[in-house]
Amino acid sequence: MWEIYLVFVVLLLILTVLPKVPSSYWIFRVADFGKIQINHFAIITFIVGFLFYKNNFWWYSQTLLLLIIIYHSITLIKYTRYYPVKRIETSTQSASNTLKIISANIYQFNTEFHRFVDLIKKNDPDVFLTMESNKDWEKALVVLENEYPHHHKVALENTYGMHFYSKIRLENAKTHFFVADDIPSIEAHLRTEDGFEFVFFGIHPPPPSPTEEKTSKERDGDLLSVAKRIKEIKKPVIVVGDFNNVAWSKSSVLFRKISHLIDPRVGKAFISTFHAKYRLLRFPIDLMFHSEHIFIKELKTLEKFGSDHLPVFCEFFIDHLNDRQKEKIEKADSEEKAEANEMIEEGKNEEGERDAVTED
């Protein structure tokens, strides 16, 4: 048992150190996703370790585990209600009516179309976004078009299709292909009935993994291209989607600083979404960021509907005269801006390994 304990200590140390290596290769990036689970295993190993006192080396291993726990906890506590933040959930007289959004990676080969349609009808969002949606999903969602007359569709068969539907007036919409011609992002300019304008961004960059992209270059380049585009927009902005990233990763932090957006999970919750079937192995990779004049009232996951992701539900309002969130904005320095530009170029130059995916 002592040997097994030492194996866990070494493994936890390796998983903690890997993300600090400045490489975009997937093996160095995936440990970022499991920070919550790594910390839980470190705590369990630390507690169980008290049963295995054997020699003086035990003190070193237990101290190392304690340092690992502290290291991860310093980051993770920011995404819990124990982290002190100014909570602003009530609107003022200058605010818009509340708006609701659903963002869902539907899993392209999920054929339980009715479950997702029922979920939309039940929760009645003003806007919803689907990712991995192809022509089959586009046909299945036609039944919602009477209630959602404004839409922008990018049907692809490579698991990167996207569909945007809105009850709110759509003034302009465009599809961006920032780093690759098969990885779309949707930019939609909306105007509410009470006269408020905002911009909705839907994104879904590819993940670094042994079965998909070998590096994070395309993902990071796509995210930071979106961040630079958002910085040019003078309206309130909300960005949602399957980021294939976690909020505490280096590229997510850089995304937030370049775009001047706010992470609504800070001081609230992880909002873990993937994998929908395995609660203990669930990561928060369907993210959301927003500008300072958008105020989040509620952010949560909804029930399963046959996909490998849980959908994300958000309720928010817009208030141009309220500057109480200004202090939450972090800005990139010149070194970080240069690094972001370099990562964008690397993403554009990376050769993707995606083929068109069709069901037999």
Side-chain angles (χ1 to χ4, degrees), residues 20 70-71 138 147 169 201 230 232 260 280 329:
K20 306 302 290 183
I70 293 171
Y71 171 75
E138 188 172 297
E147 287 210 37
R169 178 181 169 186
F201 254 95
I230 288 168
E232 299 170 352
H260 295 185
L280 296 179
I329 296 173

Short mmCIF file of all heavy atoms in Angstrom, two decimals, residues 20 70-71 138 147 169 201 230 232 260 280 329:
data_model
loop_
_atom_site.label_atom_id
_atom_site.label_comp_id
_atom_site.label_asym_id
_atom_site.label_seq_id
_atom_site.Cartn_x
_atom_site.Cartn_y
_atom_site.Cartn_z
N LYS A 20 2.32 23.77 -16.62
CA LYS A 20 3.28 24.88 -16.51
C LYS A 20 4.33 24.84 -17.61
O LYS A 20 5.07 25.82 -17.81
CB LYS A 20 3.97 24.85 -15.14
CG LYS A 20 3.04 24.82 -13.94
CD LYS A 20 2.11 26.01 -13.92
CE LYS A 20 2.82 27.31 -13.64
NZ LYS A 20 1.89 28.45 -13.55
N ILE A 70 -2.89 23.23 -1.85
CA ILE A 70 -2.93 24.70 -1.71
C ILE A 70 -2.83 25.37 -3.07
O ILE A 70 -3.57 26.32 -3.38
CB ILE A 70 -1.81 25.18 -0.77
CG1 ILE A 70 -2.07 24.68 0.65
CG2 ILE A 70 -1.67 26.70 -0.80
CD1 ILE A 70 -0.91 24.91 1.60
N TYR A 71 -1.91 24.87 -3.91
CA TYR A 71 -1.70 25.44 -5.24
C TYR A 71 -2.99 25.41 -6.07
O TYR A 71 -3.41 26.42 -6.65
CB TYR A 71 -0.59 24.69 -5.96
CG TYR A 71 -0.45 25.05 -7.42
CD1 TYR A 71 0.14 26.25 -7.81
CD2 TYR A 71 -0.92 24.18 -8.40
CE1 TYR A 71 0.25 26.58 -9.15
CE2 TYR A 71 -0.80 24.50 -9.75
CZ TYR A 71 -0.21 25.70 -10.12
OH TYR A 71 -0.11 26.02 -11.44
N GLU A 138 -30.48 20.91 -38.43
CA GLU A 138 -31.13 22.10 -39.00
C GLU A 138 -32.59 21.79 -39.36
O GLU A 138 -33.49 22.59 -39.08
CB GLU A 138 -30.36 22.56 -40.23
CG GLU A 138 -30.82 23.89 -40.79
CD GLU A 138 -29.91 24.38 -41.89
OE1 GLU A 138 -28.72 24.64 -41.61
OE2 GLU A 138 -30.39 24.52 -43.04
N GLU A 147 -41.38 30.62 -33.56
CA GLU A 147 -41.10 31.39 -32.34
C GLU A 147 -39.76 32.09 -32.40
O GLU A 147 -39.54 33.08 -31.71
CB GLU A 147 -41.15 30.46 -31.12
CG GLU A 147 -42.55 30.02 -30.74
CD GLU A 147 -42.66 29.77 -29.25
OE1 GLU A 147 -42.05 30.51 -28.46
OE2 GLU A 147 -43.37 28.82 -28.90
N ARG A 169 -34.84 40.93 -32.39
CA ARG A 169 -34.55 41.39 -33.74
C ARG A 169 -33.05 41.29 -34.05
O ARG A 169 -32.21 41.78 -33.31
CB ARG A 169 -35.01 42.84 -33.88
CG ARG A 169 -34.70 43.46 -35.24
CD ARG A 169 -35.16 44.91 -35.26
NE ARG A 169 -34.65 45.60 -36.44
CZ ARG A 169 -34.81 46.90 -36.65
NH1 ARG A 169 -35.44 47.63 -35.74
NH2 ARG A 169 -34.32 47.46 -37.73
N PHE A 201 -21.74 36.54 -29.45
CA PHE A 201 -20.73 35.74 -30.13
C PHE A 201 -20.91 34.28 -29.72
O PHE A 201 -20.99 33.95 -28.53
CB PHE A 201 -19.32 36.18 -29.73
CG PHE A 201 -18.60 36.96 -30.78
CD1 PHE A 201 -18.62 38.34 -30.78
CD2 PHE A 201 -17.91 36.31 -31.80
CE1 PHE A 201 -17.97 39.07 -31.75
CE2 PHE A 201 -17.24 37.03 -32.78
CZ PHE A 201 -17.27 38.42 -32.76
N ILE A 230 -13.72 41.42 -30.52
CA ILE A 230 -14.60 41.98 -29.49
C ILE A 230 -14.10 43.33 -29.02
O ILE A 230 -14.89 44.26 -28.78
CB ILE A 230 -14.73 40.99 -28.31
CG1 ILE A 230 -15.56 39.79 -28.73
CG2 ILE A 230 -15.35 41.67 -27.08
CD1 ILE A 230 -15.52 38.64 -27.77
N GLU A 232 -12.86 45.59 -30.65
CA GLU A 232 -13.22 46.62 -31.62
C GLU A 232 -14.68 47.05 -31.51
O GLU A 232 -15.07 48.09 -32.04
CB GLU A 232 -12.98 46.10 -33.04
CG GLU A 232 -11.52 45.73 -33.33
CD GLU A 232 -11.38 45.00 -34.66
OE1 GLU A 232 -12.43 44.65 -35.27
OE2 GLU A 232 -10.23 44.78 -35.09
N HIS A 260 -11.22 42.44 -22.69
CA HIS A 260 -11.76 43.29 -21.60
C HIS A 260 -13.13 42.78 -21.14
O HIS A 260 -14.00 43.56 -20.74
CB HIS A 260 -11.87 44.75 -22.02
CG HIS A 260 -10.55 45.41 -22.30
ND1 HIS A 260 -10.43 46.75 -22.60
CD2 HIS A 260 -9.29 44.92 -22.32
CE1 HIS A 260 -9.15 47.05 -22.81
NE2 HIS A 260 -8.44 45.95 -22.63
N LEU A 280 -18.50 12.69 -11.90
CA LEU A 280 -17.21 12.83 -11.24
C LEU A 280 -16.09 13.22 -12.20
O LEU A 280 -15.03 13.65 -11.78
CB LEU A 280 -16.84 11.52 -10.51
CG LEU A 280 -17.76 11.12 -9.36
CD1 LEU A 280 -17.30 9.81 -8.74
CD2 LEU A 280 -17.82 12.22 -8.29
N ILE A 329 -12.68 44.21 -14.63
CA ILE A 329 -11.99 44.10 -15.92
C ILE A 329 -10.48 44.13 -15.72
O ILE A 329 -9.95 45.02 -15.06
CB ILE A 329 -12.42 45.25 -16.87
CG1 ILE A 329 -13.91 45.15 -17.18
CG2 ILE A 329 -11.59 45.21 -18.15
CD1 ILE A 329 -14.44 46.32 -17.96
#
